[in-house]
Amino acid sequence: MSLYEKYPVHLSNSLGGNKELFQPINAGHVGMYVCGPTVYNDVHLGNVRTFLTFDIVSRYLRYLGYKVRYVRNITDVGHLENDADEGEDKISKKARLEQLEPMEVVKHYTEGFHEVMRQFNILPPSIEPSATGHLVEQIEITKKLIEQGFAYEVNGSVYFDVTRYNAKHNYGILSGRVVEELMESGRKLDSQDEKRNKIDFALWKRASPYHIMRWPSPWGIGFPGWHIECTVMSTKYLGETFDIHGGGMDLKFPHHECEIAQAVGANGKQPVNYWLHSNMLTVNGQKMSKSLGNSFLPRQLFSGDHPLLEKGYGPMTVRFFMLQSHYSSTLDFSNEALNAAEKGFKKLSNALGIVKKLEHPGGGTDHKELSDDLRSMSDACFTNMSDDFNTAKTLAALFEMSARINDFKSGNVPIKNISAETFTTFKNTYIGIMEDVLGLREEEEHNHELLSGVVNVLIDLRKKARLDKNYALSDKIRDDLKQLGVQLKDGKDGEITFSIE
């Protein structure tokens, strides 16, 4: 029996709002699409939480034995400043302000995004397509939507007709929005608007003379809308209907709702069976935003270089902190919470180092109560993860296991009191869930205060050696430190400073 048969996964489906048994379209295979970043700026922590969430989903499904095709796109065109199809393309605007080619902006921030993903040990997707790499397909599906009567062209732009679509289908099936209420709310169309209805959205936009990113199309020179790229790339690589679509809660409407409408309008079928959404981040109870001054980038979190941070925190500490909360709940950053996470992660990480070195001595018989306890802890890791990827409860199970690992190390509980099979299962589960599923690896500590103290002790020894005219020892201290990457600098007044290369 495979692990996914032994521990069937249940997940909270945003399409309907119920927890459901996960049943993939093709047995043993999973197709998953996640909306990736718009690469015009540094990736922020809210993005990191979303990508961490689906890293966990992908990791766990693979650990259970599923073959997972995970597609996560790069948005490098089409994302305007306003969801109402107004304003500049975000990448074009950045390129204009920085006096760069748009693809220079894309390359820079895509590389930065990948580096942040590596720092947090977020694995790359199976496929990472870009919007500009799929312009032909976006034009073709737009032509198809016009033919089906769900889109119309005006002055070189093409818009999706939401009211006409809603007459046959349900625009609002995911978000619960009602078309009539959307039509009544907000500003009304004015004489400058091209849309038939204010809730219609762009599939293709005519490029104004100043717009940098522009391509030929059957409707003239322009660029694609934001929503169409994900419909195209998800169905191209995963099929017209696939298993899981993920993203941040903020994308549920209008982006994901529009994705569904485009796919149903073009292909006549629901594109996704299970929709998953991760929740937002707050800081000390407030929404994270630049305007409030409480938004910080990953590098600021690592260095502690921000007024709201008492110190820096390692990537694995932050990853551990995010895993302490279920992906669907709000996560609040505070120094107190991060300090507690640092201690908690260290405890589990220490146990990880210990259990890797522990070996069963051979022989031994299972003491029923102890063996049942160990098997129950191992089993809890899987049952909690299979219950809508509940990392918080899984961590609680790992803390129980870490206490028993320390008992084994101290000898309070002899390993020979259980069979080699029971111990191996327990050991492999702890290591596997920690590293392969939760992606928590042992983090090297860079304690600069301790390092500075040690180097200063050696500097004092070198000073004394020079006073004693023991130049051989003085030179050896200097040369040995240099080999380790510590460069000493002798000042004119006899003071010695150092730098780490």
Side-chain angles (χ1 to χ4, degrees):
M1 177 185 287
S2 65
L3 283 175
Y4 61 75
E5 291 172 312
K6 185 177 180 182
Y7 301 101
V9 172
H10 290 76
L11 44 78
S12 293
N13 192 351
S14 298
L15 191 66
N18 299 313
K19 189 180 289 187
E20 303 175 18
L21 173 66
F22 176 61
Q23 295 178 301
I25 295 168
N26 299 306
H29 294 73
V30 178
M32 182 171 77
Y33 184 88
V34 173
C35 294
T38 300
V39 283
Y40 74 102
N41 213 337
D42 291 313
V43 61
H44 59 75
L45 286 171
N47 297 139
V48 172
R49 190 193 187 191
T50 295
F51 302 129
L52 171 58
T53 292
F54 296 101
D55 181 53
I56 295 294
V57 171
S58 174
R59 282 172 176 270
Y60 185 60
L61 292 174
R62 286 193 175 100
Y63 197 78
L64 289 180
Y66 285 109
K67 183 175 176 58
V68 179
R69 177 177 287 179
Y70 175 16
V71 183
R72 187 186 68 208
N73 73 303
I74 293 289
T75 296
D76 56 358
V77 69
H79 196 167
L80 303 185
E81 295 174 282
N82 188 296
D83 283 339
D85 299 318
E86 297 172 350
E88 282 188 77
D89 180 290
K90 293 183 177 183
I91 291 165
S92 287
K93 181 178 180 180
K94 188 77 170 184
R96 179 174 57 80
L97 293 174
E98 299 290 336
Q99 294 187 316
L100 297 170
E101 281 290 333
M103 287 301 114
E104 288 183 274
V105 173
V106 166
K107 183 175 186 296
H108 175 77
Y109 288 110
T110 299
E111 289 178 351
F113 168 70
H114 288 154
E115 177 57 27
V116 170
M117 294 299 100
R118 283 191 290 271
Q119 288 171 324
F120 281 104
N121 198 25
I122 294 173
L123 299 177
S126 314
I127 303 172
E128 192 174 52
S130 67
T132 54
H134 296 76
L135 289 166
V136 171
E137 293 91 336
Q138 292 177 76
I139 290 171
E140 288 303 308
I141 194 174
T142 299
K143 288 162 61 177
K144 190 173 182 181
L145 286 167
I146 293 174
E147 292 167 5
Q148 299 280 33
F150 295 122
Y152 57 92
E153 183 266 337
V154 182
N155 298 327
S157 294
V158 181
Y159 298 96
F160 189 91
D161 193 328
V162 172
T163 52
R164 188 159 186 177
Y165 171 84
N166 195 59
K168 295 183 179 180
H169 307 285
N170 178 11
Y171 182 82
I173 189 172
L174 179 66
S175 63
R177 304 294 179 99
V178 179
V179 166
E180 289 73 19
E181 293 177 359
L182 291 170
M183 290 286 285
E184 292 174 4
S185 64
R187 68 174 182 84
K188 297 184 182 300
L189 289 175
D190 59 34
S191 59
Q192 301 299 313
D193 279 303
E194 301 174 328
K195 300 177 184 178
R196 293 175 182 171
N197 309 288
K198 66 178 181 178
I199 58 174
D200 294 350
F201 57 88
L203 301 173
W204 185 265
K205 288 280 285 182
R206 179 184 70 254
S208 63
Y210 70 83
H211 201 281
I212 307 172
M213 304 179 80
R214 49 204 293 132
W215 293 268
S217 79
W219 316 285
I221 301 298
F223 57 94
W226 174 34
H227 312 302
I228 196 69
E229 64 174 276
C230 287
T231 297
V232 160
M233 290 185 277
S234 62
T235 56
K236 175 174 181 175
Y237 296 108
L238 299 174
E240 291 184 354
T241 300
F242 55 94
D243 297 305
I244 297 172
H245 193 311
M249 194 75 73
D250 58 319
L251 296 181
K252 185 185 287 188
F253 186 86
H255 187 55
H256 290 162
E257 197 72 74
C258 294
E259 279 190 59
I260 293 174
Q262 291 164 159
V264 173
N267 303 321
K269 61 182 74 171
Q270 284 292 325
V272 181
N273 287 339
Y274 304 93
W275 287 85
L276 300 181
H277 290 93
S278 61
N279 215 323
M280 60 186 280
L281 294 179
T282 58
V283 179
N284 298 318
Q286 287 186 305
K287 182 180 179 180
M288 182 180 287
S289 71
K290 290 182 181 178
S291 61
L292 293 174
N294 66 355
S295 175
F296 34 80
L297 298 172
R299 64 173 177 267
Q300 293 174 306
L301 193 56
F302 301 153
S303 67
D305 184 21
H306 192 279
L308 292 178
L309 294 170
E310 294 174 355
K311 64 174 187 175
Y313 301 90
M316 288 300 100
T317 292
V318 180
R319 184 178 176 107
F320 174 88
F321 167 72
M322 291 187 178
L323 296 177
Q324 286 181 301
S325 180
H326 191 267
Y327 72 85
S328 65
S329 62
T330 303
L331 178 62
D332 189 54
F333 269 83
S334 69
N335 284 289
E336 293 77 16
L338 287 166
N339 285 329
E342 189 172 54
K343 293 175 184 176
F345 170 65
K346 189 172 292 186
K347 183 175 181 180
L348 292 188
S349 183
N350 288 341
L352 180 64
I354 292 168
V355 78
K356 284 181 176 180
K357 296 174 183 175
L358 289 177
E359 297 293 340
H360 195 278
T365 55
D366 274 353
H367 288 219
K368 187 176 187 308
E369 185 176 346
L370 176 59
S371 297
D372 288 347
D373 187 38
L374 295 181
R375 291 194 186 99
S376 176
M377 291 178 189
S378 298
D379 190 63
C381 291
F382 288 99
T383 55
N384 289 323
M385 283 301 299
S386 288
D387 182 16
D388 200 21
F389 312 101
N390 197 322
T391 54
K393 287 187 176 180
T394 303
L395 287 175
L398 290 174
F399 275 115
E400 288 188 43
M401 296 175 80
S402 71
R404 195 46 55 96
I405 289 168
N406 288 323
D407 286 338
F408 286 141
K409 182 192 177 188
S410 67
N412 289 339
V413 178
I415 297 178
K416 65 181 181 181
N417 285 358
I418 54 174
S419 68
E421 180 184 357
T422 299
F423 176 74
T424 300
T425 299
F426 176 84
K427 176 179 179 176
N428 290 345
T429 299
Y430 190 87
I431 296 172
I433 296 296
M434 277 284 288
E435 294 187 330
D436 297 331
V437 175
L438 299 184
L440 293 167
R441 59 191 177 198
E442 295 175 80
E443 193 164 54
E444 292 182 17
E445 291 188 43
H446 298 283
N447 191 324
H448 297 294
E449 290 182 4
L450 177 60
L451 178 59
S452 296
V454 171
V455 173
N456 283 324
V457 167
L458 292 170
I459 287 174
D460 288 339
L461 288 174
R462 184 167 182 261
K463 285 180 181 178
K464 187 176 186 308
R466 292 176 73 178
L467 286 172
D468 294 340
K469 298 187 178 181
N470 188 348
Y471 298 117
L473 178 58
S474 171
D475 291 343
K476 179 172 173 52
I477 292 172
R478 180 199 61 205
D479 295 338
D480 287 353
L481 284 174
K482 186 176 181 179
Q483 284 188 337
L484 294 171
V486 179
Q487 183 74 45
L488 298 184
K489 296 178 182 178
D490 295 316
K492 292 180 180 178
D493 55 359
E495 284 300 307
I496 301 173
T497 60
F498 72 92
S499 60
I500 300 174
E501 298 175 338

